[in-house]
Amino acid sequence: MNNPKVSVLIANYNNQKYIRECIDSIKNQTYKNIEIIFHDDYSSDNSIKIINKYKRIKIIKNKIRTRFGAFNQMNAYKRAFKKSRGEIIFLLDSDDLFKKNKIRSVI
């Protein structure tokens, strides 16, 4: 496993305020063999508009949301996991970020 593919699965619901910083923290990683899968859980803010400006991000748009936040979040990761092609999987909420060397350190 010299240069394994890494999948970063991002769960989002109405976090437009943090999306740029979150995505940029992945795009600016020192490790580069990364795919980003962004799952939006039927946000009512501008989350989708913001994420659509980025290239090379797989976007999943959920149209059904329950009133149980934790259940929605687990479903988001489950759907994103099914689309992932990485040998190593990272989970990230859209209001969090990774330090620049995080993925390389884990690899």
Side-chain angles (χ1 to χ4, degrees):
M1 250 174 37
N2 244 1
N3 189 31
K5 176 79 146 189
V6 170
S7 298
V8 179
L9 315 181
I10 301 172
N12 178 68
Y13 177 67
N14 283 343
N15 276 324
Q16 72 177 19
K17 181 177 177 182
Y18 306 103
I19 289 173
R20 285 183 189 91
E21 192 173 10
C22 174
I23 297 297
D24 290 346
S25 80
I26 304 304
K27 295 271 188 183
N28 294 327
Q29 288 292 302
T30 56
Y31 190 83
K32 297 299 180 188
N33 192 12
I34 300 171
E35 74 171 347
I36 301 172
I37 303 174
F38 185 89
H39 185 284
D40 183 72
D41 210 6
Y42 205 49
S43 294
S44 59
D45 64 1
N46 287 320
S47 294
I48 290 295
K49 187 176 180 180
I50 293 168
I51 200 66
N52 280 331
K53 293 180 182 179
Y54 286 89
K55 294 181 187 211
R56 292 187 303 253
I57 295 179
K58 294 178 187 175
I59 302 171
I60 301 169
K61 297 176 188 175
N62 183 33
K63 300 288 185 192
I64 302 169
R65 182 170 168 73
T66 73
R67 59 187 178 109
F68 304 104
F71 179 76
N72 295 328
Q73 183 180 32
M74 292 312 300
N75 276 333
Y77 286 130
K78 181 179 174 183
R79 286 185 197 106
F81 180 78
K82 287 179 180 181
K83 298 257 185 207
S84 69
R85 298 292 172 248
E87 297 171 69
I88 299 172
I89 308 291
F90 287 83
L91 305 179
L92 182 62
D93 289 334
S94 58
D95 60 348
D96 289 327
L97 54 89
F98 283 172
K99 290 187 177 183
K100 191 172 187 147
N101 242 5
K102 178 177 176 99
I103 294 176
R104 182 169 301 285
S105 294
V106 172
I107 301 298

